[in-house]
Coordinates of all heavy atoms in Angstrom, one line a residue:
M115 N 83.6 138.0 97.8 CA 84.3 137.7 99.1 C 84.5 139.0 99.8 O 85.0 139.9 99.2 CB 85.6 137.0 98.8 CG 85.4 135.5 98.3 SD 86.9 134.6 98.1 CE 87.7 135.4 96.7
P116 N 84.3 139.1 101.1 CA 84.4 140.3 101.8 C 85.9 140.7 101.8 O 86.8 139.9 102.0 CB 84.0 139.9 103.2 CG 83.2 138.7 103.1 CD 83.7 138.0 101.9
G117 N 86.1 142.0 101.6 CA 87.5 142.6 101.7 C 88.3 142.4 100.5 O 89.4 142.7 100.4
S118 N 87.7 141.8 99.4 CA 88.4 141.5 98.2 C 88.3 142.7 97.3 O 87.2 143.3 97.1 CB 87.9 140.3 97.5 OG 88.5 140.1 96.3
T119 N 89.4 143.1 96.6 CA 89.4 144.2 95.7 C 89.0 143.6 94.3 O 88.6 144.4 93.5 CB 90.7 144.9 95.6 OG1 91.7 144.0 95.3 CG2 91.1 145.6 96.9
E120 N 89.1 142.3 94.1 CA 88.9 141.7 92.8 C 87.7 140.7 93.0 O 87.7 139.9 93.9 CB 90.1 141.0 92.4 CG 90.0 140.4 91.0 CD 91.3 139.7 90.6 OE1 92.3 140.0 91.1 OE2 91.2 138.9 89.7
S121 N 86.8 140.7 92.1 CA 85.7 139.9 92.2 C 86.0 138.5 91.7 O 86.7 138.3 90.7 CB 84.5 140.4 91.3 OG 83.5 139.5 91.3
V122 N 85.6 137.4 92.4 CA 85.9 136.1 92.0 C 84.5 135.4 91.9 O 83.8 135.4 92.9 CB 86.8 135.3 93.0 CG1 87.0 133.9 92.6 CG2 88.1 136.1 93.2
D123 N 84.2 134.8 90.8 CA 82.9 134.1 90.6 C 83.0 132.7 91.2 O 84.0 132.1 91.4 CB 82.4 134.2 89.2 CG 83.3 133.5 88.2 OD1 84.4 132.8 88.7 OD2 83.1 133.5 87.0
Y124 N 81.8 132.2 91.4 CA 81.6 130.9 92.0 C 82.3 129.8 91.1 O 82.8 128.8 91.7 CB 80.2 130.5 92.2 CG 79.7 131.0 93.6 CD1 79.0 132.1 93.8 CD2 80.1 130.2 94.7 CE1 78.5 132.5 95.0 CE2 79.6 130.6 96.0 CZ 78.9 131.8 96.1 OH 78.5 132.2 97.4
Q125 N 82.3 130.0 89.8 CA 83.0 129.0 89.0 C 84.4 128.8 89.3 O 85.0 127.7 89.5 CB 82.8 129.4 87.5 CG 83.4 128.4 86.5 CD 83.2 128.8 85.1 OE1 82.6 129.8 84.8 NE2 83.5 127.9 84.2
E126 N 85.1 129.9 89.5 CA 86.5 129.9 89.8 C 86.7 129.4 91.3 O 87.7 128.7 91.6 CB 87.2 131.3 89.7 CG 87.4 131.6 88.3 CD 88.2 132.9 88.2 OE1 87.5 134.0 88.4 OE2 89.4 132.9 87.9
I127 N 85.9 129.8 92.2 CA 86.0 129.3 93.5 C 85.8 127.8 93.6 O 86.6 127.1 94.2 CB 84.9 130.0 94.4 CG1 85.2 131.5 94.6 CG2 84.7 129.3 95.8 CD1 84.1 132.3 95.2
L128 N 84.8 127.3 93.0 CA 84.6 125.8 93.0 C 85.7 125.1 92.3 O 86.0 124.0 92.7 CB 83.2 125.5 92.4 CG 82.0 126.0 93.3 CD1 80.7 125.7 92.6 CD2 82.0 125.4 94.7
R129 N 86.2 125.7 91.2 CA 87.4 125.0 90.5 C 88.5 124.9 91.5 O 89.2 123.9 91.6 CB 87.7 125.8 89.3 CG 88.8 125.1 88.5 CD 89.2 125.9 87.2 NE 88.1 126.0 86.3 CZ 87.5 127.0 85.8 NH1 88.0 128.2 86.2 NH2 86.5 127.0 85.0
A130 N 88.8 126.0 92.2 CA 89.9 126.0 93.2 C 89.7 125.0 94.3 O 90.6 124.3 94.8 CB 90.1 127.4 93.7
L131 N 88.4 125.0 94.8 CA 88.1 124.0 95.9 C 88.2 122.6 95.4 O 88.7 121.7 96.1 CB 86.7 124.3 96.4 CG 86.5 125.6 97.2 CD1 85.1 125.8 97.6 CD2 87.4 125.5 98.5
G132 N 87.8 122.4 94.1 CA 88.0 121.0 93.5 C 89.4 120.6 93.4 O 89.8 119.5 93.7
Y133 N 90.3 121.6 93.1 CA 91.7 121.3 93.0 C 92.3 120.9 94.3 O 93.0 120.0 94.5 CB 92.4 122.5 92.4 CG 93.9 122.3 92.3 CD1 94.5 121.5 91.4 CD2 94.8 123.1 93.1 CE1 95.9 121.4 91.3 CE2 96.1 123.0 93.0 CZ 96.7 122.1 92.1 OH 98.0 122.0 92.0
F134 N 91.8 121.7 95.4 CA 92.3 121.4 96.7 C 91.8 120.0 97.2 O 92.5 119.2 97.8 CB 91.7 122.5 97.7 CG 92.0 122.2 99.1 CD1 93.3 122.6 99.7 CD2 91.1 121.6 100.0 CE1 93.6 122.4 101.0 CE2 91.4 121.4 101.3 CZ 92.6 121.8 101.8
I135 N 90.6 119.7 96.8 CA 90.0 118.4 97.2 C 90.8 117.2 96.5 O 91.1 116.2 97.1 CB 88.5 118.3 96.8 CG1 87.7 119.2 97.8 CG2 87.9 116.9 96.9 CD1 86.3 119.6 97.3
Q136 N 91.2 117.4 95.3 CA 91.9 116.4 94.6 C 93.3 116.2 95.2 O 93.8 115.1 95.3 CB 92.1 116.8 93.1 CG 90.9 116.5 92.3 CD 91.1 116.9 90.8 OE1 91.9 117.8 90.5 NE2 90.5 116.1 90.0
Q137 N 93.9 117.3 95.6 CA 95.2 117.3 96.3 C 95.2 116.5 97.6 O 96.1 115.8 97.9 CB 95.7 118.7 96.6 CG 96.2 119.5 95.4 CD 96.7 120.9 95.9 OE1 96.1 121.5 96.7 NE2 97.7 121.3 95.2
Q138 N 94.0 116.5 98.3 CA 93.9 115.8 99.5 C 93.4 114.4 99.3 O 93.1 113.7 100.3 CB 92.9 116.6 100.5 CG 93.4 118.0 100.7 CD 94.8 118.0 101.4 OE1 95.1 117.2 102.2 NE2 95.6 119.0 101.0
H139 N 93.1 114.0 98.1 CA 92.6 112.6 97.8 C 91.3 112.4 98.5 O 91.1 111.3 99.1 CB 93.6 111.6 98.1 CG 94.9 111.8 97.4 ND1 95.2 111.6 96.1 CD2 96.1 112.3 97.9 CE1 96.4 111.9 95.8 NE2 97.0 112.3 96.9
M140 N 90.4 113.3 98.5 CA 89.1 113.2 99.2 C 88.0 112.6 98.3 O 88.0 112.9 97.1 CB 88.7 114.6 99.8 CG 89.6 115.1 100.8 SD 89.2 116.8 101.3 CE 87.7 116.5 102.2
T141 N 87.1 111.9 99.0 CA 85.9 111.4 98.3 C 84.7 111.7 99.3 O 84.9 112.1 100.4 CB 85.9 109.9 98.1 OG1 86.1 109.2 99.3 CG2 87.1 109.5 97.1
E142 N 83.5 111.6 98.8 CA 82.3 111.8 99.5 C 82.4 113.2 100.3 O 82.3 113.2 101.5 CB 82.0 110.7 100.5 CG 81.8 109.3 99.8 CD 81.5 108.2 100.8 OE1 80.9 108.4 101.8 OE2 81.9 107.0 100.4
V143 N 82.5 114.2 99.5 CA 82.9 115.5 100.0 C 81.6 116.4 100.2 O 80.6 116.3 99.4 CB 83.8 116.2 99.0 CG1 84.1 117.7 99.4 CG2 85.1 115.5 98.8
T144 N 81.6 117.1 101.3 CA 80.6 118.1 101.5 C 81.3 119.5 101.6 O 82.3 119.6 102.3 CB 79.9 117.9 102.9 OG1 79.3 116.6 102.8 CG2 78.9 118.9 103.2
I145 N 80.8 120.5 100.9 CA 81.4 121.8 100.9 C 80.3 122.8 101.5 O 79.2 122.8 101.0 CB 81.7 122.3 99.5 CG1 82.7 121.3 98.9 CG2 82.3 123.7 99.5 CD1 83.0 121.6 97.4
T146 N 80.7 123.5 102.5 CA 79.8 124.5 103.2 C 80.5 125.8 103.2 O 81.6 126.0 103.6 CB 79.5 124.0 104.6 OG1 79.0 122.7 104.6 CG2 78.5 124.9 105.3
E147 N 79.8 126.8 102.7 CA 80.3 128.2 102.8 C 79.7 128.9 104.0 O 78.6 128.7 104.4 CB 79.8 129.0 101.5 CG 80.2 130.4 101.5 CD 79.7 131.2 100.3 OE1 78.7 130.7 99.7 OE2 80.2 132.3 100.0
F148 N 80.6 129.7 104.6 CA 80.2 130.5 105.8 C 80.9 131.9 105.6 O 81.7 132.1 104.7 CB 80.5 129.9 107.1 CG 81.9 129.7 107.5 CD1 82.5 130.5 108.5 CD2 82.7 128.7 106.9 CE1 83.8 130.3 108.8 CE2 84.0 128.5 107.2 CZ 84.6 129.4 108.2
D149 N 80.6 132.8 106.4 CA 81.1 134.2 106.2 C 82.6 134.4 106.2 O 83.1 135.3 105.5 CB 80.5 135.2 107.3 CG 80.9 134.8 108.7 OD1 81.3 133.7 108.9 OD2 80.8 135.7 109.6
R150 N 83.4 133.5 106.8 CA 84.8 133.6 106.8 C 85.5 132.7 105.9 O 86.8 132.7 105.9 CB 85.3 133.5 108.2 CG 84.9 134.6 109.2 CD 85.5 134.4 110.5 NE 84.9 135.5 111.4 CZ 85.1 135.5 112.7 NH1 85.8 134.6 113.3 NH2 84.6 136.5 113.4
G151 N 84.8 131.8 105.2 CA 85.5 130.9 104.3 C 84.6 129.7 104.0 O 83.4 129.8 103.9
W152 N 85.2 128.5 103.9 CA 84.6 127.3 103.4 C 85.0 126.2 104.3 O 86.2 126.0 104.8 CB 85.0 127.0 102.0 CG 84.7 128.1 101.0 CD1 85.3 129.3 100.9 CD2 83.6 128.1 100.1 NE1 84.7 130.0 99.9 CE2 83.6 129.3 99.4 CE3 82.6 127.2 99.9 CZ2 82.6 129.6 98.5 CZ3 81.6 127.5 98.9 CH2 81.7 128.7 98.2
I153 N 84.1 125.3 104.6 CA 84.4 124.0 105.3 C 84.3 122.9 104.3 O 83.3 122.8 103.6 CB 83.4 123.8 106.5 CG1 83.4 124.9 107.5 CG2 83.6 122.5 107.1 CD1 82.3 124.9 108.5
I154 N 85.3 122.1 104.2 CA 85.4 121.0 103.3 C 85.5 119.7 104.2 O 86.5 119.6 104.9 CB 86.5 121.1 102.3 CG1 86.4 122.4 101.5 CG2 86.5 119.9 101.3 CD1 87.6 122.7 100.7
A155 N 84.6 118.8 104.1 CA 84.6 117.6 104.9 C 84.4 116.4 103.9 O 83.7 116.5 102.9 CB 83.5 117.6 105.9
G156 N 85.1 115.3 104.2 CA 84.9 114.1 103.4 C 85.8 113.0 103.9 O 86.1 113.0 105.1
L157 N 86.1 112.1 103.1 CA 86.9 110.9 103.4 C 88.2 110.9 102.6 O 88.2 111.4 101.5 CB 86.1 109.6 103.1 CG 84.8 109.4 103.9 CD1 84.2 108.1 103.4 CD2 85.1 109.3 105.4
T158 N 89.2 110.4 103.2 CA 90.5 110.2 102.5 C 91.0 108.9 102.9 O 90.3 108.1 103.7 CB 91.5 111.3 102.8 OG1 92.6 111.2 101.9 CG2 92.0 111.3 104.3
Y159 N 92.1 108.5 102.4 CA 92.7 107.2 102.8 C 94.0 107.3 103.6 O 94.7 108.3 103.5 CB 92.9 106.3 101.6 CG 93.8 106.9 100.5 CD1 95.2 106.6 100.7 CD2 93.4 107.6 99.5 CE1 96.1 107.2 99.7 CE2 94.2 108.1 98.6 CZ 95.6 107.9 98.7 OH 96.5 108.4 97.8
K160 N 94.2 106.3 104.4 CA 95.4 106.3 105.1 C 96.0 104.9 105.0 O 95.3 103.9 105.0 CB 95.1 106.6 106.6 CG 96.3 106.6 107.6 CD 95.8 107.0 109.0 CE 97.0 107.1 109.9 NZ 96.6 107.6 111.2
T161 N 97.3 104.8 104.9 CA 98.0 103.5 104.7 C 98.1 102.9 106.1 O 98.3 103.5 107.1 CB 99.4 103.6 104.1 OG1 100.2 104.5 104.9 CG2 99.3 104.2 102.7
T162 N 98.0 101.5 106.1 CA 98.2 100.7 107.3 C 99.1 99.6 106.9 O 99.5 99.4 105.7 CB 96.8 100.2 107.8 OG1 96.3 99.2 106.8 CG2 95.8 101.2 108.1
G163 N 99.4 98.8 107.8 CA 100.3 97.6 107.5 C 99.6 96.6 106.7 O 100.3 95.8 106.0
M164 N 98.3 96.6 106.6 CA 97.6 95.6 105.8 C 96.9 96.3 104.5 O 96.2 95.6 103.8 CB 96.5 95.0 106.6 CG 97.0 94.2 107.8 SD 95.8 93.5 108.8 CE 95.1 92.3 107.7
G165 N 97.2 97.5 104.3 CA 96.6 98.2 103.1 C 96.2 99.6 103.4 O 97.0 100.4 104.0
F166 N 95.0 99.9 103.0 CA 94.5 101.3 103.2 C 93.2 101.2 104.0 O 92.4 100.3 103.9 CB 94.2 101.9 101.9 CG 95.4 102.1 101.0 CD1 95.7 101.2 100.0 CD2 96.2 103.2 101.2 CE1 96.8 101.3 99.2 CE2 97.3 103.4 100.4 CZ 97.6 102.5 99.4
I167 N 92.9 102.3 104.7 CA 91.6 102.5 105.4 C 91.1 103.9 105.0 O 91.9 104.8 104.7 CB 91.7 102.3 106.9 CG1 92.6 103.3 107.5 CG2 92.0 100.9 107.3 CD1 92.5 103.4 109.1
R168 N 89.8 104.0 105.0 CA 89.2 105.4 104.8 C 89.0 106.1 106.1 O 88.5 105.5 107.0 CB 87.9 105.2 104.0 CG 88.2 104.7 102.6 CD 87.0 104.2 101.9 NE 85.8 105.1 102.1 CZ 84.9 105.4 101.1 NH1 85.0 104.8 99.9 NH2 83.9 106.1 101.4
V169 N 89.4 107.3 106.2 CA 89.3 108.1 107.4 C 88.6 109.4 107.1 O 88.8 110.0 106.0 CB 90.6 108.3 108.1 CG1 91.2 107.0 108.6 CG2 91.6 109.0 107.2
P170 N 87.8 109.9 108.0 CA 87.2 111.2 107.8 C 88.2 112.3 108.0 O 89.2 112.2 108.8 CB 86.1 111.3 108.9 CG 86.4 110.2 109.9 CD 87.3 109.2 109.2
I171 N 88.0 113.4 107.2 CA 89.0 114.5 107.3 C 88.2 115.8 107.0 O 87.2 115.7 106.2 CB 90.1 114.3 106.3 CG1 91.2 115.3 106.5 CG2 89.6 114.3 104.8 CD1 92.5 115.0 105.7
D172 N 88.5 116.9 107.6 CA 87.9 118.2 107.3 C 88.9 119.3 107.3 O 89.9 119.2 108.0 CB 86.7 118.4 108.2 CG 87.1 118.4 109.6 OD1 87.9 119.2 110.1 OD2 86.6 117.5 110.4
F173 N 88.6 120.3 106.6 CA 89.5 121.5 106.5 C 88.6 122.8 106.6 O 87.4 122.7 106.1 CB 90.2 121.6 105.2 CG 91.1 120.4 104.9 CD1 90.7 119.3 104.3 CD2 92.4 120.5 105.4 CE1 91.6 118.2 104.1 CE2 93.3 119.4 105.2 CZ 92.9 118.3 104.5
I174 N 89.1 123.8 107.1 CA 88.5 125.1 107.0 C 89.5 126.0 106.1 O 90.6 126.1 106.4 CB 88.3 125.8 108.3 CG1 87.4 125.0 109.2 CG2 87.9 127.2 108.2 CD1 87.2 125.5 110.6
V175 N 88.9 126.4 105.0 CA 89.7 127.2 104.0 C 89.2 128.6 104.1 O 88.0 128.9 103.8 CB 89.5 126.7 102.6 CG1 90.3 127.5 101.6 CG2 89.9 125.2 102.5
S176 N 90.1 129.6 104.6 CA 89.7 130.9 104.8 C 89.5 131.6 103.4 O 90.0 131.1 102.4 CB 90.7 131.7 105.6 OG 91.9 131.9 104.9
Q177 N 88.9 132.7 103.4 CA 88.7 133.5 102.2 C 90.1 133.9 101.6 O 90.3 133.9 100.4 CB 87.8 134.8 102.4 CG 86.4 134.5 102.9 CD 85.5 133.9 101.8 OE1 86.0 133.4 100.8 NE2 84.3 133.8 102.1
D178 N 91.0 134.3 102.5 CA 92.3 134.7 102.0 C 93.1 133.5 101.4 O 93.8 133.6 100.4 CB 93.2 135.3 103.2 CG 92.6 136.6 103.6 OD1 92.0 137.3 102.8 OD2 92.9 137.0 104.8
E179 N 93.0 132.3 102.0 CA 93.6 131.1 101.5 C 93.0 130.8 100.1 O 93.7 130.4 99.2 CB 93.5 129.9 102.4 CG 94.3 130.1 103.7 CD 93.9 129.0 104.7 OE1 92.7 128.6 104.8 OE2 94.8 128.6 105.5
L180 N 91.7 130.9 100.0 CA 91.0 130.6 98.8 C 91.4 131.6 97.7 O 91.7 131.2 96.5 CB 89.5 130.6 98.9 CG 88.7 130.2 97.7 CD1 89.1 128.8 97.2 CD2 87.2 130.3 98.0
R181 N 91.5 132.9 98.0 CA 91.9 133.9 97.1 C 93.3 133.6 96.6 O 93.6 133.7 95.4 CB 91.9 135.3 97.8 CG 91.9 136.4 96.8 CD 91.7 137.8 97.5 NE 90.4 137.8 98.2 CZ 90.2 137.9 99.5 NH1 91.2 137.9 100.3 NH2 89.0 137.9 100.0
T182 N 94.2 133.2 97.5 CA 95.6 132.8 97.1 C 95.6 131.6 96.1 O 96.3 131.6 95.1 CB 96.4 132.5 98.3 OG1 96.5 133.6 99.2 CG2 97.9 132.1 97.9
L183 N 94.8 130.6 96.4 CA 94.7 129.5 95.5 C 94.1 129.8 94.1 O 94.6 129.4 93.1 CB 93.8 128.4 96.2 CG 93.7 127.0 95.5 CD1 95.1 126.4 95.4 CD2 92.9 126.1 96.4
V184 N 93.1 130.7 94.1 CA 92.5 131.1 92.8 C 93.6 131.9 92.0 O 93.7 131.7 90.8 CB 91.3 132.0 93.1 CG1 90.8 132.7 91.8 CG2 90.1 131.1 93.6
T185 N 94.4 132.7 92.7 CA 95.4 133.5 92.0 C 96.5 132.6 91.4 O 96.9 132.7 90.3 CB 96.0 134.5 92.9 OG1 95.0 135.4 93.4 CG2 97.1 135.3 92.3
E186 N 96.9 131.6 92.2 CA 97.9 130.6 91.7 C 97.3 129.8 90.5 O 98.1 129.6 89.6 CB 98.2 129.6 92.8 CG 99.1 130.2 94.0 CD 99.2 129.2 95.1 OE1 98.9 128.1 95.0 OE2 99.8 129.7 96.1
M187 N 96.1 129.4 90.6 CA 95.5 128.7 89.4 C 95.4 129.6 88.2 O 95.6 129.1 87.1 CB 94.1 128.2 89.8 CG 94.2 127.0 90.8 SD 92.6 126.3 91.2 CE 92.3 125.5 89.6
R188 N 95.1 130.9 88.4 CA 95.0 131.8 87.2 C 96.4 131.9 86.6 O 96.6 132.0 85.4 CB 94.6 133.2 87.7 CG 93.1 133.3 87.9 CD 92.7 134.7 88.3 NE 91.3 134.8 88.5 CZ 90.7 135.8 89.1 NH1 91.5 136.8 89.5 NH2 89.4 135.9 89.3
E189 N 97.5 132.0 87.4 CA 98.8 132.2 86.9 C 99.3 130.9 86.2 O 100.0 131.0 85.2 CB 99.8 132.5 88.1 CG 99.6 133.9 88.6 CD 100.3 134.1 89.9 OE1 101.1 133.2 90.4 OE2 100.2 135.3 90.4
Q190 N 98.8 129.7 86.6 CA 99.2 128.5 86.0 C 98.5 128.3 84.7 O 99.0 127.6 83.8 CB 98.9 127.3 86.9 CG 99.8 127.2 88.1 CD 99.5 126.0 89.0 OE1 98.5 125.3 88.7 NE2 100.2 125.9 90.1
R191 N 97.3 128.9 84.5 CA 96.6 128.7 83.3 C 97.2 129.4 82.2 O 97.6 130.6 82.2 CB 95.2 129.3 83.5 CG 94.1 128.8 82.6 CD 92.7 129.3 82.9 NE 92.4 129.0 84.3 CZ 91.6 129.7 85.0 NH1 91.1 130.9 84.6 NH2 91.3 129.4 86.3
R192 N 97.4 128.7 81.1 CA 98.0 129.3 79.9 C 97.0 130.2 79.2 O 95.8 129.9 79.1 CB 98.5 128.2 78.9 CG 99.5 127.3 79.5 CD 100.1 126.4 78.4 NE 99.0 125.9 77.6 CZ 98.7 124.6 77.4 NH1 99.4 123.7 78.0 NH2 97.8 124.2 76.6
D193 N 97.5 131.3 78.6 CA 96.6 132.2 77.9 C 96.1 131.6 76.6 O 94.9 131.8 76.2 CB 97.4 133.5 77.5 CG 97.6 134.3 78.7 OD1 96.9 134.2 79.7 OD2 98.6 135.1 78.7
D194 N 96.8 130.7 75.9 CA 96.4 130.1 74.7 C 95.5 128.8 74.9 O 95.0 128.2 74.0 CB 97.6 129.7 73.8 CG 98.5 128.7 74.5 OD1 98.5 128.5 75.7 OD2 99.3 128.0 73.8
Q195 N 95.3 128.5 76.2 CA 94.5 127.3 76.5 C 93.1 127.6 76.2 O 92.6 128.7 76.7 CB 94.7 127.0 78.0 CG 94.0 125.7 78.5 CD 94.3 125.4 79.9 OE1 95.0 126.2 80.6 NE2 93.8 124.3 80.4
P196 N 92.4 126.7 75.5 CA 91.0 127.0 75.2 C 90.1 127.0 76.4 O 90.3 126.2 77.3 CB 90.6 125.9 74.2 CG 91.6 124.8 74.4 CD 92.9 125.5 75.0
K197 N 89.1 127.8 76.4 CA 88.2 127.9 77.5 C 87.2 126.8 77.4 O 86.7 126.5 76.3 CB 87.4 129.2 77.5 CG 88.3 130.4 77.6 CD 88.4 130.9 79.0 CE 89.2 132.2 79.0 NZ 89.8 132.6 80.2
R198 N 86.9 126.1 78.4 CA 85.9 125.0 78.4 C 84.7 125.5 79.2 O 84.8 126.2 80.1 CB 86.5 123.8 79.1 CG 87.7 123.2 78.4 CD 88.2 122.0 79.1 NE 89.4 121.5 78.5 CZ 90.2 120.6 79.0 NH1 89.9 120.1 80.1 NH2 91.3 120.3 78.4
G199 N 83.6 125.0 78.7 CA 82.4 125.3 79.4 C 81.2 124.6 78.8 O 81.3 123.9 77.7
W200 N 80.1 124.8 79.4 CA 78.8 124.2 78.9 C 78.4 124.8 77.6 O 77.9 124.2 76.7 CB 77.8 124.2 80.0 CG 78.1 123.4 81.2 CD1 78.6 123.9 82.3 CD2 77.9 122.0 81.3 NE1 78.7 122.8 83.2 CE2 78.4 121.6 82.6 CE3 77.5 121.0 80.4 CZ2 78.4 120.4 83.0 CZ3 77.5 119.7 80.9 CH2 77.9 119.4 82.2
F201 N 78.5 126.1 77.5 CA 78.1 126.9 76.4 C 79.3 127.4 75.6 O 80.1 128.0 76.2 CB 77.1 128.0 76.8 CG 76.0 127.6 77.6 CD1 75.9 127.8 79.0 CD2 75.0 126.9 77.0 CE1 74.8 127.4 79.7 CE2 73.9 126.5 77.7 CZ 73.8 126.7 79.1
R202 N 79.3 127.1 74.3 CA 80.5 127.6 73.5 C 80.0 128.6 72.5 O 78.9 128.6 72.0 CB 81.2 126.5 72.9 CG 81.8 125.6 73.9 CD 82.6 124.5 73.3 NE 83.1 123.7 74.4 CZ 84.1 122.9 74.2 NH1 84.7 122.8 73.1 NH2 84.5 122.2 75.2

C-alpha cells in the first residue's frame, strides 16, 4: 500500500475486507482495487413493513481505513490462537 511503513499482504487485506463485508451483511459482492483504496459493491437487506428487501450498496474503503481495520484485527487476534491456512 502506498505510503505505508509496514507491509500488509493480500491475505490480511482480504480478511479485513471480508470482516467489513460481514459487518454490512452484504451478499453478491464485487471487490475492486484501485490506487487509493478498494471499492466494495454488493447487496444488503433493508427492513420494510412487510419484511425485507434486497438493496444495492457500495463503499469506498481508503488505504488508510483499511490499514486501520487490519491493525484492529491484529490487536484482537490472540497470540495463542492457532494459525489457520491451506498448508500446515
Side-chain angles (χ1 to χ4, degrees):
M115 291 187 288
S118 174
T119 58
E120 182 179 343
S121 175
V122 178
D123 62 2
Y124 271 101
Q125 182 178 4
E126 286 187 282
I127 290 170
L128 293 175
R129 186 180 293 125
L131 290 173
Y133 179 71
F134 177 81
I135 289 165
Q136 284 181 329
Q137 287 178 322
Q138 303 301 321
H139 306 285
M140 294 176 70
T141 60
E142 299 183 31
V143 176
T144 302
I145 301 172
T146 306
E147 180 182 16
F148 68 107
D149 62 337
R150 294 185 183 168
W152 300 78
I153 299 170
I154 303 171
L157 298 175
T158 190
Y159 61 86
K160 184 176 182 176
T161 58
T162 67
M164 299 179 67
F166 297 96
I167 60 170
R168 293 168 42 143
V169 293
I171 190 168
D172 56 64
F173 297 94
I174 297 177
V175 180
S176 71
Q177 299 290 12
D178 291 335
E179 291 169 328
L180 183 62
R181 195 173 298 114
T182 300
L183 188 56
V184 167
T185 302
E186 289 173 7
M187 290 184 67
R188 282 181 182 166
E189 291 171 358
Q190 290 177 359
R191 200 176 305 147
R192 297 187 320 237
D193 290 333
D194 61 340
Q195 186 176 4
K197 303 261 185 199
R198 296 181 187 167
W200 293 101
F201 304 106
R202 292 182 184 203

